[in-house]
Amino acid sequence: MTDPKRDFRGWIAIAGALLSIPTATWLNIPTVSPAAIAINRRDAIKSPTDTLRERVSTSPLHHAQRPTPPFPLDGKPVYVLQSGKWQEALLMGYGWSSQAGFRYDVRYLSDNRTERGVLVDRLLSLTEAQRRGIAKRVYDVSNQTGIQQMVNAHNEWRTRYGVPAVTWSPQLAAYAQEWANTLLREDRFGHRPQSPYGENLAWAGGQQMSPERVVRMWGEEVKDYNYTTNTCKPGKVCGHYTQIVWRNTKQIGCGVARGNGKEIWVCNYNPPGNVIGRKPY
């Protein structure tokens, strides 16, 4: 689906990432950002995958003496000290030797840049970073901090294109949370039938995403959108982006459901965007 000029009922904005440890497969990512796919009732588009592998010593001596890694490859964010500042990152793999101990490969979430061989003394777990007050992001929308971060993430994109800010709707949030719970419980992924609202979805496995990261992933589709023709590049999707910045949308509400090593995010929009024959702004 490459043309955003559709009736909104034909749009669903979906994102997904698959992660298994110690290997990871990501769909349609700038390497490790969550994947983004847009589908309608008839089709789905998936992009090539990127596989990441754990790097560890395989010698019998090292295997026998290697201790338990201090930071597991569980998909949770960590914080890395870089140039005197703590940066949010994902652990992509590690190496171990009896001389140097553990060294990790990381990917920074701010720009998808990678760094290899990071020493343990430069790393903090998410729990420790939160305890120290270093980690400011939250990873759900169950409290006012998470809600505000989700609203801010949307409005940062909307400000770039001169469209009015959106506000949070508890009613839309409950509606979104209900659908997220249903998808998780029924172990499936797809849009809510006959919804009167716009909808963006995201799916991730083996990791925790923040509101800011989810919205940034959707918004980065702008690189594949042509405003003049109001279309996406061939083979690309951009309906997530156009819904985020749709001028007439006034309210959003989002929910996230987690369990069995995966999470599903749902955001609903009122009035809905991606209306046939109209540009977003």
Side-chain angles (χ1 to χ4, degrees), residues 36-170:
I37 4 179
I39 67 170
N40 59 23
R41 292 179 176 83
R42 296 179 299 279
D43 55 48
I45 301 172
K46 296 184 179 180
S47 70
T49 61
D50 179 27
T51 301
L52 307 163
R53 293 181 173 81
E54 177 184 355
R55 299 184 301 108
V56 297
S57 170
T58 58
S59 74
L61 178 61
H62 285 176
H63 181 75
Q65 297 178 350
R66 188 175 72 239
T68 301
F71 296 93
L73 301 182
D74 59 5
K76 292 183 178 180
V78 297
Y79 278 74
V80 184
L81 185 62
Q82 185 191 52
S83 301
K85 296 182 179 180
W86 291 100
Q87 305 288 333
E88 188 183 18
L90 289 178
L91 298 176
M92 309 310 297
Y94 65 81
W96 180 86
S97 71
S98 57
Q99 293 79 24
F102 285 96
R103 292 173 180 262
Y104 284 84
D105 293 350
V106 304
R107 189 175 298 275
Y108 295 99
L109 296 181
S110 60
D111 57 10
N112 287 323
R113 184 170 41 84
T114 59
E115 182 180 357
R116 303 183 68 174
V118 175
L119 293 172
V120 171
D121 61 7
R122 290 178 53 203
L123 296 172
L124 289 179
S125 68
L126 176 60
T127 300
E128 180 62 18
Q130 289 172 331
R131 188 187 71 81
R132 297 189 189 185
I134 294 169
K136 303 299 184 183
R137 291 193 180 99
V138 296
Y139 294 85
D140 58 41
V141 286
S142 63
N143 56 40
Q144 190 57 42
T145 299
I147 289 171
Q148 195 59 54
Q149 289 185 8
M150 179 62 83
V151 172
N152 290 348
H154 276 81
N155 285 335
E156 285 172 7
W157 281 94
R158 294 176 68 84
T159 297
R160 297 183 194 184
Y161 300 96
V163 298
V166 291
T167 60
W168 186 260
S169 164

Side-chain angles (χ1 to χ4, degrees), residues 113-242:
R113 184 170 41 84
T114 59
E115 182 180 357
R116 303 183 68 174
V118 175
L119 293 172
V120 171
D121 61 7
R122 290 178 53 203
L123 296 172
L124 289 179
S125 68
L126 176 60
T127 300
E128 180 62 18
Q130 289 172 331
R131 188 187 71 81
R132 297 189 189 185
I134 294 169
K136 303 299 184 183
R137 291 193 180 99
V138 296
Y139 294 85
D140 58 41
V141 286
S142 63
N143 56 40
Q144 190 57 42
T145 299
I147 289 171
Q148 195 59 54
Q149 289 185 8
M150 179 62 83
V151 172
N152 290 348
H154 276 81
N155 285 335
E156 285 172 7
W157 281 94
R158 294 176 68 84
T159 297
R160 297 183 194 184
Y161 300 96
V163 298
V166 291
T167 60
W168 186 260
S169 164
Q171 292 75 25
L172 278 180
Y175 188 80
Q177 187 64 58
E178 179 186 44
W179 188 238
N181 292 342
T182 298
L183 293 175
L184 183 68
R185 182 178 63 252
E186 297 180 359
D187 192 25
R188 61 191 179 95
F189 190 58
H191 64 87
R192 183 194 291 257
Q194 306 301 319
S195 174
Y197 306 116
E199 185 172 80
N200 281 4
L201 304 182
W203 183 97
Q207 61 179 302
Q208 284 184 250
M209 296 201 295
S210 65
E212 186 276 337
R213 187 177 171 203
V214 171
V215 176
R216 173 160 48 92
M217 180 250 325
W218 290 331
E220 285 176 347
E221 288 180 358
V222 63
K223 67 182 183 300
D224 297 318
Y225 175 65
N226 185 314
Y227 181 81
T228 301
T229 61
N230 197 28
T231 58
C232 308
K233 291 180 180 178
K236 300 293 185 178
V237 293
C238 53
H240 319 73
Y241 158 73
T242 53

Side-chain angles (χ1 to χ4, degrees), residues 17-21 23-26 72-77 90-92 203-209 213 258-264:
L18 305 175
L19 175 62
S20 59
I21 303 299
T23 61
T25 303
W26 309 83
L73 301 182
D74 59 5
K76 292 183 178 180
L90 289 178
L91 298 176
M92 309 310 297
W203 183 97
Q207 61 179 302
Q208 284 184 250
M209 296 201 295
R213 187 177 171 203
R258 290 189 171 104
N260 302 318
K262 64 183 179 183
E263 61 185 53
I264 296 174

